[in-house]
Amino acid sequence: MTIENLISRFKETLENSPLDLARNWKIKHPRTKLIGCYPVYSPVELIHAAGMLPVGLIGAGNRLEIAHADSRFQSFICSIVKSTLELGLTEKLKFLDGVVFHSICDPARNLGSVFKRNFPDLMVEYIHFPQNMTSAHTIDYLVAEYKRLTTRYEELSGEKLTKEALKQSIRLYNQQRRLVRELYAIRREAPQNLSTVECYVLTRIGTLLPPEEHISILEEAIPAIRRRNEKPKDRIRVVLEGSFCEQPPIELLEGLEAAGCYILDDDFLLGWRWFPEDIAMEGDPWRNLANAYINQSVYSGVKHDTREPKSKHLIDKVKETGASAVLILAAKFCEPALFDYALYKRALEKAGIPHLCLEFEEKMWIFDKARTEVETFVESMLFD
Ligand code: SF4
């Protein structure tokens, strides 16, 4: 099968029912326990080292009708919270043995509690990530939180989570993240050879398959993509920001490119690309995981890090990639993304970098308005 056919097959599954990949895997491996990881970041190595499979629980796409969850959450809550609850209420998460939420925002915090009350058969865990990144106790605190989680996952899997197993899992996920970084580097250097949708599909399947399978897919895909030699089109080069949790529909991504943008970098599926460098292998692996979260992870609207302003990171990213503009693509009602936008707007204007801000919902079906806005923005830059 060609790489194009492979991507198109996965794309179809992701558009119709993203969790089918993991659900089908579970049918073939009924004894393995699966843990749904709500965005943004989960220490997937802990789950894997306990003999279980971490699965990205990253919304339901735009083919699921929200019939029950609307009545449980206010109308001003983002789509992913409702679609995740809808998946649970319609018994589409029966293949999972546990779920894990984190302290990213109030809706996600509440969703964790709603899951605990409504699905007593699921192990619902909640990670309290540190809100103070500079305290002398922060790493010890996070190590303790990861050790607490370790005990819970040992109980669920019935397996001892050993130091050696955790090191092996870190090694494996380091390899997976390295390959994903390579994919992103290819698109940044020659976006005509790898579309954003292809890059997205190849990254997203890694949240739904065992890392070993994802690694072998990427090891086959990357050399094939490197052999491409497409001619660049007359498009503007942008950095996309704001989609770190709820994911935009694939059709919307296609529309952005068709409207005249090469996306050189983005923050899709950010938790699964959380570390721009490998996590250390020497020493205590729990401490290495905690240290990586505090000192090695990417900037994000859901990570409270006062050491460097997020807007500086965004401006640096624009400069490093050679982009000429920024596309803010924020989920509707996503407070972290929209709060960030207030900061980004000021910083981008000060740096003289043009930007366009669009809101999306994972359940959206009609993309004409977004596409027209992007086309107008692109024309204003190309014919300035
Ligand atoms: S999309 Fe935004 S508001 Fe909604 S759960 Fe994610 S971070 Fe929270």
Side-chain angles (χ1 to χ4, degrees):
M1 189 186 299
T2 65
I3 201 64
E4 287 72 21
N5 289 342
L6 188 80
I7 294 173
S8 131
R9 211 188 64 197
F10 282 131
K11 175 172 170 264
E12 206 180 313
T13 310
L14 293 177
E15 284 176 324
N16 289 325
S17 177
L19 287 170
D20 277 359
L21 277 180
R23 200 178 283 115
N24 294 340
W25 190 88
K26 171 81 174 181
I27 293 169
K28 291 186 200 143
H29 306 83
R31 290 156 70 94
T32 306
K33 297 213 162 35
L34 270 57
I35 305 291
C37 302
Y38 192 80
V40 173
Y41 168 72
S42 293
V44 286
E45 291 87 344
L46 287 178
I47 299 168
H48 185 268
M52 304 189 289
L53 178 66
V55 171
L57 185 55
I58 316 176
N62 59 8
R63 312 278 158 100
L64 179 77
E65 192 191 341
I66 308 293
H68 308 86
D70 263 341
S71 60
R72 268 106 170 156
F73 276 105
Q74 302 90 328
S75 54
F76 51 83
I77 296 294
C78 60
S79 287
I80 186 173
V81 162
K82 293 180 189 170
S83 68
T84 307
L85 181 59
E86 188 73 25
L87 286 168
L89 294 173
T90 51
E91 309 210 326
K92 292 188 172 65
L93 299 181
K94 283 270 175 205
F95 70 103
L96 294 177
D97 300 281
V99 283
V100 56
F101 297 93
H102 329 92
S103 45
I104 53 171
C105 62
D106 287 344
R109 181 185 297 262
N110 293 340
L111 184 61
S113 311
V114 171
F115 259 67
K116 215 164 201 156
R117 218 173 24 236
N118 282 273
F119 310 112
D121 294 341
L122 271 181
M123 177 184 272
V124 180
E125 277 305 320
Y126 186 91
I127 304 176
H128 294 268
F129 280 113
Q131 304 296 304
N132 179 349
M133 306 290 266
T134 53
S135 157
H137 307 291
T138 301
I139 293 183
D140 286 342
Y141 162 76
L142 193 54
V143 170
E145 188 67 353
Y146 285 172
K147 288 272 169 89
R148 178 187 66 77
L149 213 60
T150 297
T151 308
R152 295 287 286 149
Y153 287 149
E154 283 176 338
E155 284 164 16
L156 183 64
S157 69
E159 279 185 34
K160 185 94 189 127
L161 198 168
T162 64
K163 186 174 168 184
E164 208 36 57
L166 186 52
K167 280 190 172 187
Q168 287 306 330
S169 298
I170 292 176
R171 178 175 289 121
L172 197 64
Y173 279 99
N174 273 346
Q175 193 185 351
Q176 186 197 42
R177 284 185 289 259
R178 220 178 291 138
L179 288 165
V180 171
R181 289 200 293 271
E182 198 176 335
L183 207 58
Y184 268 70
I186 292 174
R187 187 185 54 164
R188 192 167 51 239
E189 283 152 24
Q192 70 276 15
N193 289 334
L194 177 66
S195 75
T196 287
V197 169
E198 290 178 313
C199 185
Y200 180 79
V201 168
L202 284 170
T203 308
R204 178 84 187 256
I205 57 173
T207 71
L208 296 159
L209 293 170
E212 297 86 344
E213 283 185 35
H214 188 222
I215 286 168
S216 56
I217 292 171
L218 292 182
E219 283 178 339
E220 196 187 322
I222 288 173
I225 294 163
R226 284 208 182 279
R227 284 194 291 276
R228 291 177 176 171
N229 189 18
E230 300 295 324
K231 219 168 137 219
K233 293 193 172 111
D234 202 12
R235 291 178 175 176
I236 63 164
R237 291 169 183 247
V238 303
V239 162
L240 187 147
E241 189 81 20
S243 308
F244 47 80
C245 181
E246 183 172 323
Q247 298 297 286
I250 288 178
E251 297 98 313
L252 177 58
L253 303 185
E254 279 169 335
L256 298 181
E257 290 195 306
C261 294
Y262 277 133
I263 298 170
L264 302 188
D265 206 348
D266 59 58
D267 57 357
F268 304 141
L269 309 164
L270 194 64
W272 297 76
R273 309 187 289 110
W274 199 240
F275 303 110
E277 287 162 19
D278 285 356
I279 299 179
M281 293 297 303
E282 289 76 38
D284 179 73
W286 286 270
R287 185 157 286 272
N288 291 348
L289 268 180
N291 181 56
Y293 182 88
I294 306 299
N295 294 315
Q296 268 181 265
S297 54
V298 290
Y299 72 97
S300 161
V302 293
K303 201 182 75 182
H304 303 282
D305 191 345
T306 49
R307 290 173 290 186
E308 275 186 342
K310 280 173 266 185
S311 47
K312 177 187 176 308
H313 285 291
L314 176 59
I315 306 276
D316 286 350
K317 203 195 272 188
V318 173
K319 289 181 183 155
E320 281 158 20
T321 55
S324 54
V326 169
L327 207 51
I328 305 282
L329 189 62
K332 196 169 177 187
F333 300 124
C334 175
E335 280 192 359
L338 295 168
F339 283 157
D340 278 351
Y341 175 53
L343 303 172
Y344 291 156
K345 184 173 187 293
R346 202 179 320 142
L348 290 167
E349 282 171 357
K350 198 165 164 214
I353 300 168
H355 77 275
L356 175 70
C357 180
L358 297 172
E359 284 187 21
F360 74 91
E361 287 188 272
E362 65 166 17
K363 64 180 184 189
M364 73 196 277
W365 267 102
I366 300 174
F367 308 103
D368 296 354
K369 185 170 170 287
R371 187 167 164 162
T372 309
E373 280 187 59
V374 177
E375 274 170 354
T376 310
F377 180 68
V378 170
E379 279 167 22
S380 75
M381 290 200 54
L382 285 179
F383 305 114
D384 195 14

